[in-house]
Coordinates of all heavy atoms in Angstrom, one line a residue:
N1 N 24.0 55.4 57.2 CA 23.8 56.2 56.0 C 24.9 56.7 55.3 O 25.0 56.9 54.1 CB 22.8 57.4 56.5 CG 21.5 57.1 56.9 OD1 21.0 55.9 56.7 ND2 20.8 58.1 57.4
I2 N 26.0 57.0 56.1 CA 27.3 57.3 55.5 C 27.9 56.3 54.5 O 28.2 56.5 53.4 CB 28.3 57.8 56.6 CG1 27.9 59.0 57.3 CG2 29.7 57.9 55.8 CD1 28.7 59.3 58.5
Y3 N 27.7 55.0 55.0 CA 28.3 53.9 54.3 C 27.5 53.9 52.8 O 27.9 53.7 51.8 CB 28.1 52.5 54.9 CG 29.3 52.4 55.9 CD1 29.1 51.9 57.2 CD2 30.7 52.7 55.7 CE1 30.0 51.6 58.1 CE2 31.6 52.5 56.5 CZ 31.4 52.0 57.8 OH 32.3 51.7 58.7
V4 N 26.1 54.0 53.0 CA 25.2 53.7 51.8 C 25.4 54.8 50.9 O 25.4 54.6 49.6 CB 23.9 53.6 52.2 CG1 22.8 53.6 51.1 CG2 23.5 52.3 53.1
S5 N 25.6 56.1 51.3 CA 25.7 57.3 50.4 C 27.0 57.1 49.8 O 27.2 57.8 48.6 CB 25.6 58.5 51.2 OG 26.8 58.7 52.1
N6 N 28.0 56.4 50.3 CA 29.3 56.2 49.6 C 29.3 54.9 48.7 O 30.4 54.6 48.2 CB 30.5 56.2 50.6 CG 30.8 57.5 51.0 OD1 30.8 58.5 50.3 ND2 31.3 57.7 52.2
G7 N 28.1 54.3 48.5 CA 28.0 53.2 47.8 C 28.6 51.8 48.5 O 28.8 50.9 47.9
E8 N 28.8 51.8 49.8 CA 29.4 50.7 50.6 C 28.3 50.0 51.3 O 28.3 50.0 52.5 CB 30.3 51.3 51.5 CG 31.5 52.0 50.9 CD 32.6 52.5 51.8 OE1 33.5 51.6 52.4 OE2 32.6 53.6 52.1
H9 N 27.5 49.4 50.5 CA 26.2 48.7 51.0 C 26.6 47.5 51.9 O 25.9 47.3 52.8 CB 25.4 48.3 49.9 CG 24.8 49.4 49.1 ND1 23.7 50.2 49.4 CD2 25.2 50.1 47.9 CE1 23.6 51.2 48.6 NE2 24.4 51.1 47.7
E10 N 27.7 46.9 51.4 CA 28.0 45.6 52.3 C 28.5 46.1 53.6 O 28.0 45.5 54.7 CB 29.2 44.9 51.7 CG 29.5 43.5 52.2 CD 30.5 42.9 51.3 OE1 30.3 42.7 50.0 OE2 31.4 42.3 51.9
K11 N 29.1 47.2 53.9 CA 29.6 47.7 55.2 C 28.4 48.1 56.0 O 28.3 47.8 57.2 CB 30.6 48.9 55.1 CG 32.0 48.5 54.7 CD 33.0 49.7 54.8 CE 34.4 49.2 54.4 NZ 35.2 50.4 54.4
A12 N 27.4 48.8 55.3 CA 26.2 49.3 56.0 C 25.4 48.2 56.5 O 24.9 48.1 57.7 CB 25.3 50.1 54.9
N13 N 25.3 47.0 55.6 CA 24.6 45.9 56.1 C 25.2 45.1 57.3 O 24.6 44.8 58.2 CB 24.3 44.9 54.8 CG 23.4 45.4 53.9 OD1 22.4 46.2 54.2 ND2 23.5 44.9 52.6
K14 N 26.5 45.1 57.3 CA 27.3 44.5 58.3 C 27.1 45.3 59.5 O 26.9 44.7 60.7 CB 28.9 44.6 58.0 CG 29.7 43.6 59.0 CD 31.0 43.5 58.4 CE 31.8 42.8 59.3 NZ 33.3 42.7 58.9
L15 N 27.1 46.7 59.5 CA 27.0 47.5 60.7 C 25.6 47.3 61.3 O 25.3 47.2 62.5 CB 27.2 49.0 60.4 CG 27.1 50.0 61.5 CD1 27.9 49.6 62.6 CD2 27.4 51.3 60.9
R16 N 24.5 47.3 60.4 CA 23.1 47.1 60.8 C 23.0 45.7 61.5 O 22.2 45.7 62.4 CB 22.1 47.4 59.6 CG 22.1 48.8 59.1 CD 21.2 48.9 58.0 NE 21.1 50.2 57.4 CZ 21.1 50.5 56.2 NH1 21.1 49.7 55.2 NH2 21.2 51.8 55.9
G17 N 23.6 44.7 61.0 CA 23.5 43.5 61.6 C 24.0 43.5 63.0 O 23.4 42.8 64.0
K18 N 25.2 44.2 63.1 CA 25.8 44.2 64.5 C 24.9 45.0 65.4 O 24.7 44.6 66.6 CB 27.1 44.9 64.4 CG 28.1 44.1 63.8 CD 29.6 44.9 63.8 CE 30.7 44.0 63.3 NZ 32.0 44.7 63.2
M19 N 24.3 46.1 64.9 CA 23.4 46.8 65.9 C 22.1 45.9 66.3 O 21.7 46.0 67.4 CB 22.9 48.0 65.0 CG 23.8 49.1 64.8 SD 23.3 50.4 63.8 CE 22.1 51.1 64.9
K20 N 21.6 45.1 65.3 CA 20.6 44.3 65.6 C 20.9 43.2 66.7 O 20.2 43.1 67.6 CB 20.1 43.6 64.3 CG 18.8 42.8 64.5 CD 18.2 42.3 63.2 CE 16.9 41.8 63.4 NZ 16.3 41.3 62.2
I21 N 22.1 42.6 66.5 CA 22.7 41.7 67.5 C 22.7 42.3 68.9 O 22.4 41.6 69.9 CB 24.0 41.0 67.0 CG1 23.9 40.3 65.9 CG2 24.6 40.4 68.2 CD1 25.1 39.8 65.2
H22 N 23.2 43.5 69.0 CA 23.3 44.2 70.3 C 22.2 44.9 70.7 O 21.9 45.6 71.8 CB 24.5 45.1 70.2 CG 25.9 44.5 70.0 ND1 26.5 43.6 71.0 CD2 26.6 44.5 68.9 CE1 27.5 43.1 70.6 NE2 27.7 43.6 69.2
G23 N 21.0 44.9 70.0 CA 19.8 45.5 70.5 C 19.7 47.0 70.3 O 18.9 47.6 71.0
L24 N 20.5 47.4 69.3 CA 20.5 48.8 69.2 C 19.8 49.2 68.0 O 19.6 48.6 67.0 CB 22.0 49.3 68.9 CG 23.1 49.1 69.9 CD1 24.4 49.3 69.4 CD2 22.8 49.9 71.2
K25 N 19.0 50.4 68.1 CA 18.2 50.9 67.1 C 18.5 52.3 66.7 O 18.8 53.0 67.7 CB 16.7 50.8 67.5 CG 16.2 49.5 67.4 CD 14.7 49.5 67.7 CE 14.2 48.1 67.7 NZ 12.7 47.9 67.9
K26 N 18.5 52.8 65.5 CA 18.7 54.2 65.1 C 17.5 55.0 65.6 O 16.4 54.7 65.5 CB 18.8 54.2 63.7 CG 19.0 55.7 63.1 CD 19.1 55.6 61.6 CE 19.2 57.0 61.2 NZ 18.3 57.3 60.1
I27 N 17.9 56.0 66.3 CA 16.8 57.0 66.8 C 16.3 57.9 65.8 O 17.2 58.6 65.1 CB 17.3 57.8 68.0 CG1 17.7 56.9 69.2 CG2 16.3 58.9 68.4 CD1 18.5 57.8 70.2
P28 N 15.1 57.9 65.3 CA 14.6 58.6 64.2 C 14.7 60.2 64.4 O 14.5 60.7 65.6 CB 13.2 58.3 64.1 CG 12.7 57.6 65.3 CD 14.0 57.1 66.0
G29 N 15.0 60.9 63.4 CA 15.1 62.4 63.6 C 13.8 63.0 63.5 O 12.8 62.2 63.2
I30 N 13.6 64.1 64.3 CA 12.2 64.7 64.4 C 12.5 66.1 63.9 O 13.4 66.8 63.9 CB 11.6 64.6 65.8 CG1 12.5 65.5 66.8 CG2 11.4 63.2 66.2 CD1 11.9 65.7 68.2
S31 N 11.1 66.8 63.4 CA 11.1 68.1 63.3 C 10.0 68.7 64.2 O 8.9 67.9 64.3 CB 10.8 68.3 61.8 OG 11.8 68.0 60.9
E32 N 10.2 69.8 64.7 CA 9.1 70.3 65.5 C 8.9 71.7 65.1 O 9.6 72.4 64.6 CB 9.6 70.2 67.0 CG 9.8 69.0 67.5 CD 10.3 69.0 69.0 OE1 11.1 69.9 69.2 OE2 9.8 68.1 69.9
I33 N 7.5 72.1 65.4 CA 7.1 73.4 65.0 C 6.3 74.0 66.1 O 5.4 73.2 66.6 CB 6.5 73.5 63.6 CG1 6.2 75.0 63.3 CG2 5.3 72.7 63.6 CD1 5.8 75.1 61.8
D34 N 6.4 75.1 66.6 CA 5.7 75.7 67.7 C 4.6 76.6 67.0 O 5.1 77.7 66.3 CB 6.5 76.5 68.6 CG 5.8 77.1 69.8 OD1 4.8 77.7 69.5 OD2 6.3 77.0 70.9
I35 N 3.3 76.5 67.1 CA 2.3 77.2 66.7 C 1.5 77.7 67.8 O 0.9 76.9 68.5 CB 1.5 76.6 65.6 CG1 2.3 76.1 64.4 CG2 0.3 77.4 65.1 CD1 1.7 75.2 63.4
Y36 N 1.6 79.0 68.0 CA 0.8 79.6 69.2 C 1.1 78.9 70.5 O 0.0 78.6 71.1 CB -0.7 79.6 68.8 CG -1.0 80.6 67.6 CD1 -1.6 79.8 66.4 CD2 -0.8 82.0 67.5 CE1 -1.8 80.7 65.3 CE2 -1.0 82.6 66.3 CZ -1.4 82.0 65.2 OH -1.7 82.7 64.1
G37 N 2.2 78.6 70.8 CA 2.6 77.9 72.1 C 2.3 76.4 72.2 O 2.6 75.9 73.2
K38 N 1.9 75.9 71.1 CA 1.7 74.4 71.1 C 2.7 73.8 70.2 O 2.8 74.0 69.0 CB 0.4 74.0 70.6 CG 0.0 72.5 70.7 CD -1.5 72.2 70.3 CE -1.6 70.7 70.4 NZ -2.8 70.2 70.1
L39 N 3.5 72.8 70.8 CA 4.6 72.2 69.9 C 4.0 70.9 69.2 O 3.4 70.1 69.7 CB 5.6 71.7 71.0 CG 6.9 71.2 70.4 CD1 7.7 72.3 69.6 CD2 7.8 70.8 71.4
H40 N 4.3 71.0 67.9 CA 3.9 69.9 67.0 C 5.1 69.2 66.7 O 6.1 69.7 66.1 CB 3.0 70.3 65.9 CG 1.8 71.2 66.2 ND1 0.6 70.5 66.4 CD2 1.8 72.4 66.4 CE1 -0.3 71.5 66.7 NE2 0.4 72.6 66.8
T41 N 5.2 67.8 66.7 CA 6.3 67.0 66.4 C 6.0 66.1 65.2 O 4.9 65.6 65.2 CB 6.7 66.1 67.7 OG1 6.9 67.0 68.7 CG2 7.9 65.4 67.3
F42 N 7.0 66.0 64.3 CA 6.8 65.3 63.0 C 8.0 64.4 62.8 O 9.2 64.9 63.2 CB 6.6 66.1 61.9 CG 5.3 67.1 61.9 CD1 5.5 68.3 62.5 CD2 4.2 66.6 61.4 CE1 4.4 69.0 62.6 CE2 3.0 67.3 61.4 CZ 3.1 68.6 62.1
Y43 N 7.9 63.3 62.3 CA 9.0 62.4 62.0 C 8.7 61.6 60.7 O 7.4 61.7 60.4 CB 9.4 61.4 63.2 CG 8.2 60.7 63.7 CD1 8.0 59.4 63.3 CD2 7.5 61.3 64.7 CE1 6.9 58.8 63.7 CE2 6.5 60.5 65.2 CZ 6.1 59.3 64.7 OH 5.2 58.5 65.3
A44 N 9.7 61.0 60.1 CA 9.4 60.4 58.9 C 8.3 59.4 58.9 O 8.1 58.6 59.9 CB 10.6 59.7 58.4
N45 N 7.3 59.3 58.0 CA 6.2 58.5 57.9 C 5.3 58.6 59.2 O 4.7 57.6 59.6 CB 6.7 57.0 57.8 CG 7.2 56.7 56.4 OD1 6.6 57.3 55.5 ND2 8.3 56.1 56.5
N46 N 5.2 59.8 59.7 CA 4.4 60.0 60.9 C 2.9 59.7 60.6 O 2.4 60.3 59.5 CB 4.5 61.4 61.3 CG 4.0 61.8 62.6 OD1 3.2 61.1 63.1 ND2 4.1 63.1 63.2
K47 N 2.3 59.0 61.4 CA 0.9 58.5 61.1 C 0.0 59.1 62.0 O -1.2 58.7 62.1 CB 0.8 57.0 61.3 CG 1.7 56.0 60.5 CD 1.3 56.0 59.0 CE 2.2 55.0 58.3 NZ 2.8 55.4 57.1
H48 N 0.4 60.0 62.9 CA -0.3 60.7 64.0 C -0.9 62.0 63.5 O -1.4 62.8 64.4 CB 0.5 60.8 65.2 CG 1.0 59.5 65.7 ND1 0.2 58.5 66.2 CD2 2.3 59.0 65.8 CE1 0.9 57.4 66.6 NE2 2.2 57.8 66.3
H49 N -0.9 62.3 62.2 CA -1.6 63.6 61.8 C -2.6 63.3 60.8 O -2.7 62.1 60.3 CB -0.5 64.5 61.1 CG 0.4 63.8 60.2 ND1 -0.1 63.7 58.9 CD2 1.6 63.5 60.2 CE1 0.9 63.1 58.2 NE2 1.9 63.0 58.9
E50 N -3.3 64.3 60.5 CA -4.4 64.2 59.5 C -4.0 63.7 58.0 O -2.9 64.1 57.5 CB -5.2 65.4 59.4 CG -5.9 65.9 60.7 CD -6.3 67.2 60.6 OE1 -6.5 67.8 59.6 OE2 -6.6 67.9 61.8
Q51 N -4.7 62.9 57.6 CA -4.5 62.5 56.0 C -4.4 63.7 55.2 O -3.8 63.7 54.1 CB -5.6 61.4 55.6 CG -5.4 61.0 54.2 CD -4.1 60.3 53.9 OE1 -3.6 59.5 54.8 NE2 -3.5 60.4 52.8
S52 N -5.3 64.7 55.5 CA -5.4 65.9 54.6 C -3.9 66.6 54.5 O -3.6 67.2 53.5 CB -6.3 66.9 55.1 OG -6.0 67.3 56.5
L53 N -3.1 66.4 55.5 CA -1.7 67.0 55.5 C -0.9 66.2 54.5 O -0.2 66.9 53.6 CB -1.1 66.9 56.8 CG 0.3 67.4 56.9 CD1 0.5 68.8 56.6 CD2 1.0 67.1 58.4
N54 N -1.1 64.9 54.3 CA -0.4 64.0 53.3 C -0.9 64.6 51.9 O -0.1 64.8 51.0 CB -0.5 62.6 53.5 CG 0.0 62.1 54.7 OD1 0.9 62.8 55.3 ND2 -0.3 60.8 55.0
D55 N -2.2 64.7 51.8 CA -2.7 65.1 50.6 C -2.3 66.3 50.1 O -1.9 66.6 48.8 CB -4.4 65.2 50.7 CG -4.9 63.8 50.8 OD1 -4.2 62.7 50.8 OD2 -6.1 63.7 51.3
E56 N -2.2 67.4 51.0 CA -1.7 68.7 50.6 C -0.1 68.6 50.2 O 0.3 69.2 49.3 CB -1.8 69.6 51.7 CG -3.2 70.1 51.9 CD -3.9 70.7 50.7 OE1 -3.2 71.6 50.2 OE2 -5.0 70.4 50.4
L57 N 0.6 67.7 50.9 CA 2.0 67.6 50.6 C 2.1 67.0 49.2 O 3.0 67.5 48.3 CB 2.6 66.8 51.7 CG 4.2 66.6 51.5 CD1 4.9 67.9 51.4 CD2 4.7 65.5 52.6
F58 N 1.4 66.1 48.9 CA 1.5 65.4 47.5 C 1.0 66.3 46.4 O 1.7 66.5 45.4 CB 0.5 64.1 47.5 CG 1.3 63.0 48.2 CD1 0.6 62.3 49.3 CD2 2.6 62.6 47.8 CE1 1.3 61.4 50.0 CE2 3.1 61.4 48.6 CZ 2.4 60.9 49.7
K59 N 0.0 67.2 46.6 CA -0.4 68.1 45.7 C 0.7 69.3 45.5 O 0.9 69.7 44.3 CB -1.7 68.9 46.2 CG -2.9 68.1 46.0 CD -4.1 69.0 46.6 CE -5.3 68.1 46.9 NZ -6.4 68.7 47.6
F60 N 1.3 69.7 46.5 CA 2.4 70.7 46.5 C 3.5 70.1 45.6 O 4.1 70.8 44.7 CB 2.8 71.1 47.9 CG 3.9 72.2 47.9 CD1 3.5 73.5 47.4 CD2 5.2 71.9 48.3 CE1 4.4 74.5 47.5 CE2 6.0 72.9 48.3 CZ 5.7 74.2 47.9
A61 N 3.9 68.9 46.0 CA 5.1 68.3 45.3 C 4.8 68.1 43.8 O 5.7 68.3 43.0 CB 5.4 66.9 46.0
E62 N 3.5 67.8 43.4 CA 3.2 67.5 42.1 C 3.2 69.0 41.3 O 3.6 69.0 40.2 CB 1.7 67.0 41.9 CG 1.4 66.5 40.5 CD 2.4 65.5 40.1 OE1 2.9 64.7 40.7 OE2 2.6 65.6 38.7
K63 N 2.9 69.9 42.1 CA 2.9 71.4 41.5 C 4.4 71.8 41.2 O 4.6 72.4 40.2 CB 2.0 72.3 42.5 CG 1.9 73.7 42.0 CD 1.1 74.7 42.9 CE 1.0 76.0 42.2 NZ 0.0 76.7 43.2
L64 N 5.2 71.5 42.2 CA 6.7 71.8 42.1 C 7.1 71.1 40.9 O 8.0 71.8 40.1 CB 7.4 71.4 43.3 CG 7.3 72.2 44.5 CD1 8.1 71.8 45.7 CD2 7.8 73.7 44.2
K65 N 6.8 69.9 40.6 CA 7.3 69.1 39.4 C 6.8 69.6 38.1 O 7.5 69.8 37.2 CB 6.8 67.7 39.6 CG 7.7 67.0 40.7 CD 7.1 65.5 41.0 CE 7.2 64.6 39.9 NZ 6.7 63.2 40.2
T66 N 5.4 70.0 38.1 CA 4.8 70.4 36.7 C 5.2 72.0 36.5 O 5.4 72.2 35.3 CB 3.4 70.2 36.7 OG1 2.7 70.9 37.8 CG2 3.1 68.7 36.8
E67 N 5.2 72.7 37.5 CA 5.4 74.2 37.3 C 6.8 74.6 37.3 O 7.2 75.6 36.7 CB 4.4 74.9 38.1 CG 2.9 74.7 37.9 CD 2.0 75.5 38.9 OE1 2.5 76.5 39.5 OE2 0.9 75.2 39.0
C68 N 7.6 73.9 38.2 CA 8.9 74.5 38.4 C 10.0 73.5 37.9 O 11.2 73.8 38.0 CB 9.1 74.7 39.9 SG 7.9 75.9 40.5
G69 N 9.6 72.3 37.3 CA 10.7 71.4 36.9 C 11.4 70.6 38.0 O 12.4 70.0 37.8
Y70 N 10.9 70.6 39.2 CA 11.4 69.9 40.3 C 11.6 68.5 40.1 O 10.5 67.9 39.6 CB 10.8 70.1 41.7 CG 11.1 69.2 42.8 CD1 12.3 69.4 43.5 CD2 10.2 68.3 43.3 CE1 12.7 68.7 44.6 CE2 10.7 67.4 44.2 CZ 11.9 67.5 45.0 OH 12.1 66.6 46.0
E71 N 12.7 67.9 40.3 CA 12.9 66.4 40.3 C 13.5 65.9 41.7 O 14.6 66.4 42.0 CB 13.7 65.9 39.2 CG 13.0 66.0 37.8 CD 11.8 65.1 37.6 OE1 11.9 64.0 38.2 OE2 10.8 65.5 37.1
P72 N 12.9 65.1 42.4 CA 13.5 64.6 43.6 C 14.7 63.9 43.3 O 14.8 63.1 42.4 CB 12.3 63.7 44.2 CG 11.5 63.2 43.1 CD 11.5 64.4 42.1
D73 N 15.6 63.9 44.3 CA 17.1 63.2 44.1 C 16.8 61.9 44.9 O 17.0 61.9 46.1 CB 18.1 64.1 44.8 CG 19.4 63.5 44.7 OD1 19.6 62.4 44.2 OD2 20.3 64.1 45.4
L74 N 16.6 61.0 44.2 CA 16.3 59.6 44.6 C 17.6 58.9 45.3 O 17.5 57.9 46.1 CB 15.7 58.7 43.8 CG 14.4 59.2 43.0 CD1 13.8 58.2 42.1 CD2 13.4 59.6 44.1
E75 N 18.7 59.6 45.2 CA 20.0 59.0 45.6 C 20.1 59.4 47.0 O 20.9 58.8 47.8 CB 21.2 59.6 45.0 CG 21.3 59.3 43.4 CD 21.6 58.0 43.2 OE1 22.4 57.4 43.9 OE2 21.0 57.4 42.3
C76 N 19.2 60.1 47.6 CA 19.2 60.5 49.0 C 18.6 59.3 49.9 O 18.8 59.3 51.1 CB 18.2 61.6 49.3 SG 19.0 63.2 48.7
I77 N 18.0 58.4 49.3 CA 17.4 57.3 50.0 C 18.5 56.4 50.4 O 19.3 55.8 49.4 CB 16.4 56.5 49.2 CG1 15.2 57.5 49.0 CG2 15.8 55.2 49.9 CD1 14.0 57.0 48.2
T78 N 18.7 56.1 51.7 CA 19.9 55.2 52.1 C 19.5 53.8 52.7 O 20.3 53.4 53.3 CB 20.7 56.0 53.2 OG1 19.8 56.4 54.3 CG2 21.2 57.3 52.5
R79 N 18.4 53.5 52.3 CA 18.0 52.1 52.8 C 17.1 51.5 51.6 O 16.7 52.1 50.7 CB 17.2 52.2 54.0 CG 15.7 52.9 53.7 CD 14.9 52.9 55.0 NE 13.6 53.4 54.9 CZ 12.6 53.1 54.2 NH1 12.5 51.8 53.6 NH2 11.4 53.7 54.1
E80 N 17.0 50.1 51.7 CA 16.4 49.4 50.6 C 14.9 49.5 51.1 O 14.4 49.5 52.1 CB 16.7 47.9 50.8 CG 18.1 47.6 50.3 CD 18.3 46.1 50.1 OE1 17.3 45.5 49.9 OE2 19.4 45.8 50.4
L81 N 14.2 49.8 49.9 CA 12.6 50.0 50.0 C 11.9 48.6 50.0 O 12.3 47.7 49.2 CB 12.1 51.0 48.8 CG 12.8 52.3 48.9 CD1 12.2 53.1 47.6 CD2 12.4 53.1 50.1
N82 N 10.8 48.5 50.7 CA 10.1 47.3 50.6 C 9.2 47.4 49.4 O 9.1 48.4 48.8 CB 9.4 47.0 51.9 CG 8.3 48.0 52.2 OD1 7.5 48.3 51.3 ND2 8.1 48.3 53.5
E83 N 8.5 46.4 49.1 CA 7.7 46.1 47.9 C 6.5 47.2 47.7 O 6.0 47.4 46.8 CB 7.2 44.8 47.7 CG 6.3 44.3 48.7 CD 6.0 42.8 48.4 OE1 7.0 42.0 48.4 OE2 4.9 42.4 48.8
H84 N 6.2 47.7 49.0 CA 5.0 48.5 49.1 C 5.4 50.0 49.1 O 4.4 50.8 49.1 CB 4.1 48.2 50.3 CG 3.7 46.8 50.4 ND1 2.8 46.2 49.4 CD2 4.1 45.8 51.1 CE1 2.5 45.1 49.7 NE2 3.3 44.7 50.7
E85 N 6.6 50.4 49.1 CA 7.1 51.8 49.2 C 7.5 52.3 47.8 O 7.8 51.5 46.8 CB 8.3 51.8 50.0 CG 8.2 51.6 51.5 CD 9.2 51.7 52.3 OE1 10.2 51.0 52.1 OE2 9.1 52.5 53.4
N86 N 7.2 53.6 47.7 CA 7.6 54.2 46.4 C 8.7 55.3 46.8 O 8.6 56.0 47.8 CB 6.4 54.9 45.9 CG 6.6 56.1 44.8 OD1 7.2 56.9 45.0 ND2 6.2 55.7 43.6
A87 N 9.8 55.4 46.0 CA 10.8 56.4 46.5 C 10.5 57.7 46.7 O 10.9 58.3 47.6 CB 12.0 56.1 45.3
E88 N 9.7 58.3 45.7 CA 9.3 59.8 45.9 C 8.4 59.9 47.1 O 8.6 60.8 47.8 CB 8.5 60.2 44.6 CG 9.4 60.4 43.5 CD 8.7 61.0 42.4 OE1 7.7 61.8 42.5 OE2 9.0 60.6 41.2
H89 N 7.6 58.9 47.4 CA 6.7 58.9 48.5 C 7.5 58.9 49.7 O 7.2 59.7 50.9 CB 5.8 57.8 48.5 CG 4.8 57.8 49.7 ND1 5.0 57.0 50.9 CD2 3.7 58.6 50.0 CE1 4.1 57.2 51.7 NE2 3.2 58.0 51.2
V90 N 8.5 58.1 50.0 CA 9.4 58.0 51.1 C 10.2 59.4 51.4 O 10.3 59.9 52.5 CB 10.5 57.0 50.9 CG1 11.6 56.9 51.9 CG2 9.8 55.5 50.8
L91 N 10.7 60.1 50.2 CA 11.3 61.2 50.4 C 10.3 62.3 50.8 O 10.7 63.2 51.7 CB 12.0 61.8 49.1 CG 13.1 60.9 48.7 CD1 13.7 61.4 47.2 CD2 14.3 61.2 49.6
L92 N 9.1 62.3 50.3 CA 8.1 63.3 50.8 C 7.7 63.2 52.2 O 7.5 64.2 52.9 CB 6.8 63.3 49.8 CG 6.9 63.9 48.5 CD1 5.5 63.7 47.7 CD2 7.0 65.5 48.7
M93 N 7.6 62.0 52.7 CA 7.2 61.8 54.1 C 8.3 62.0 55.2 O 8.0 61.6 56.4 CB 6.6 60.4 54.2 CG 5.5 60.1 53.3 SD 4.1 61.3 53.4 CE 3.5 60.9 55.1
H94 N 9.2 62.9 54.9 CA 10.2 63.2 56.0 C 9.6 64.2 56.9 O 8.8 65.1 56.3 CB 11.5 63.8 55.4 CG 12.4 62.7 55.0 ND1 13.8 62.7 55.2 CD2 12.3 61.4 54.6 CE1 14.4 61.7 54.9 NE2 13.5 60.8 54.4
G95 N 9.9 64.2 58.1 CA 9.4 65.1 59.1 C 9.4 66.5 58.8 O 8.4 67.3 59.1
E96 N 10.6 67.0 58.3 CA 10.7 68.6 58.0 C 9.7 68.9 57.0 O 9.1 70.0 57.1 CB 12.1 68.8 57.6 CG 12.6 68.3 56.3 CD 13.1 66.9 56.4 OE1 13.2 66.3 57.5 OE2 13.8 66.5 55.3
K97 N 9.4 68.0 55.9 CA 8.4 68.5 54.9 C 6.9 68.5 55.5 O 6.1 69.3 55.2 CB 8.5 67.4 53.8 CG 9.8 67.6 52.9 CD 10.0 66.7 51.9 CE 11.3 66.9 51.2 NZ 12.4 65.9 51.5
L98 N 6.7 67.5 56.4 CA 5.4 67.5 57.0 C 5.2 68.6 57.8 O 4.2 69.2 57.9 CB 5.3 66.2 57.8 CG 5.2 64.9 57.0 CD1 5.4 63.6 57.9 CD2 4.0 64.8 56.2
A99 N 6.3 69.0 58.6 CA 6.2 70.2 59.6 C 5.9 71.4 58.7 O 5.1 72.4 59.1 CB 7.4 70.4 60.4
L100 N 6.6 71.6 57.7 CA 6.5 72.8 56.8 C 5.0 72.9 56.2 O 4.5 74.0 56.2 CB 7.4 72.9 55.7 CG 8.8 73.2 56.0 CD1 9.7 73.0 55.0 CD2 8.8 74.7 56.5
M101 N 4.5 71.7 55.7 CA 3.1 71.7 55.3 C 2.1 72.0 56.3 O 1.0 72.5 56.1 CB 2.9 70.4 54.5 CG 3.6 70.2 53.3 SD 3.4 71.6 52.0 CE 1.6 71.5 51.8
Y102 N 2.3 71.6 57.6 CA 1.3 71.8 58.7 C 1.2 73.3 58.9 O 0.1 73.9 59.0 CB 2.0 71.1 59.9 CG 1.0 71.1 60.9 CD1 -0.1 70.1 61.0 CD2 1.0 72.0 62.1 CE1 -1.1 70.2 62.1 CE2 0.1 72.0 63.1 CZ -0.9 71.1 63.1 OH -1.9 71.0 64.1

């Protein structure tokens, strides 16, 4: 992520290639929230929660954009998106945002 954020995509790709060769994977970050003694864990693109949580998150983001002028910083994305991904969607689906909406 450091290489990509500095525009050094070639170095980032080289490092990712070395990691793959050696069987190394980046450990995803998590966000946790304790509600009444029960720990809930969230991570980017978490598929283990209700769709309604995603729906509420998208509604809230749209409200921030229309009522407050919020614009997501798409420069924060440090990887190439596949053809089925939307940049704003990727940013919204981070674990800390999901935890806050929960």
